[in-house]
Amino acid sequence: MAAVPILDTVWLVGSGTHPDAYTDPHDCHCYLIWDGTGGILIDAGTGLGADQWLAAVAEVCDPQTLAGVVLTHYHADHAGGAAAAHAAGIPLLASAATADALITGDEERTSLARARAAGVYPPDYRLTPATIDQVLTGGETLAAGDLPVEILPAPGHCDGHMVALARTPDRSLLFSGDCLFAGGQISIQAIPDCRLDQYADTVIALAERDIDTLLPGHGAVVLDDAGGAIQTAAASFRRLVPPPNVLS
Ligand SMILES: [Zn+2]
């Protein structure tokens, strides 16, 4: 386990699959944006690998100097580590829907009860409640040091999903959570708040943005020309056909 550099200002600091950034098999990819003067984390994993995740962050910077961790959505593989981050002195930033679900560790709203019954998580796994420090509405521009990080609403995969669009001097980076994946795949599940009509609007709106690099919550990162994959997904949705599902 280590902080794995992706770009000059981005590290993979947690993952359920990357061999070098591995924290816990149930964790999403957790990213650190750090420009040498300040930074922001994207997603917190399940909490099962929180010690390793926080240690990886500390390889790059002092975690207590970070502006916070942006939780893209309330699913446990992305937000279960929120309480551990807060305990480590890292502010929590998320949408109102995520804030409402996490304050009680709501297993119905987050679909954790369904996912655990489906065998996605260990039988004894629980979502540790956490209080969000800053509720995001979308449209905010946060700062990772001198790098702007724009927060955009991105519902569809679940309610309250947000994505983060960061700009370095030479490229734009979309931290897409579970909204978009390499190859223009999306993530559709049979859960109450997966909403295909909203998903279509989200992806079509993202296709209007200038995006070079895609850093999703799972799977491969797309370092260059990520806009093409997003355009492909948007074109499918415009024909009212959901793009390929990353889940199978
Ligand atoms: Zn999810």
Side-chain angles (χ1 to χ4, degrees):
M1 181 276 302
V4 175
I6 304 291
L7 297 164
D8 288 347
T9 52
V10 178
W11 285 259
L12 188 64
V13 288
S15 172
T17 53
H18 192 290
D20 299 325
Y22 181 83
T23 44
D24 182 89
H26 306 89
D27 282 347
C28 68
H29 291 338
C30 306
Y31 296 96
L32 168 65
I33 312 169
W34 173 258
D35 77 342
T37 64
I40 284 177
L41 291 160
I42 308 291
D43 280 330
T46 54
L48 296 171
D51 289 346
Q52 299 94 308
W53 168 58
L54 291 165
V57 175
E59 291 178 16
V60 180
C61 65
D62 177 354
Q64 297 200 348
T65 66
L66 295 171
V69 53
V70 173
L71 305 169
T72 59
H73 63 299
Y74 49 43
H75 288 160
D77 53 334
H78 295 253
H86 197 265
I90 302 171
L92 306 179
L93 293 74
S95 68
T98 297
D100 288 349
L102 286 187
I103 199 164
T104 60
D106 189 330
E107 296 198 347
E108 297 303 322
R109 194 154 175 200
T110 63
S111 295
L112 174 57
R114 287 169 188 260
R116 195 175 50 228
V120 176
Y121 297 99
D124 60 349
Y125 177 74
R126 296 292 181 273
L127 188 57
T128 305
T131 300
I132 298 301
D133 296 286
Q134 181 181 347
V135 173
L136 304 170
T137 59
E140 299 93 340
T141 298
L142 309 174
D146 291 328
L147 306 178
V149 180
E150 185 179 0
I151 302 298
L152 302 171
H157 171 74
C158 69
D159 287 346
H161 196 297
M162 298 279 195
V163 296
L165 185 58
R167 290 199 173 276
T168 70
D170 61 352
R171 65 174 73 211
S172 59
L173 320 170
L174 181 66
F175 294 87
S176 59
D178 278 354
C179 175
L180 275 167
F181 300 86
Q185 293 182 301
I186 62 170
S187 178
I188 302 170
Q189 289 177 288
I191 55 176
D193 63 338
C194 185
R195 307 184 197 279
L196 274 178
D197 55 337
Q198 294 185 10
Y199 217 144
D201 292 345
T202 288
V203 171
I204 289 168
L206 287 172
E208 300 293 315
R209 306 299 295 252
D210 175 29
I211 295 166
D212 300 304
T213 299
L214 180 65
L215 298 144
H218 304 273
V221 304
V222 183
L223 288 179
D224 298 306
D225 303 322
I230 300 170
Q231 295 290 344
T232 299
S236 185
F237 267 134
R238 286 193 193 96
R239 293 186 288 109
L240 310 183
V241 177
N245 193 358
V246 73
L247 301 169
S248 60

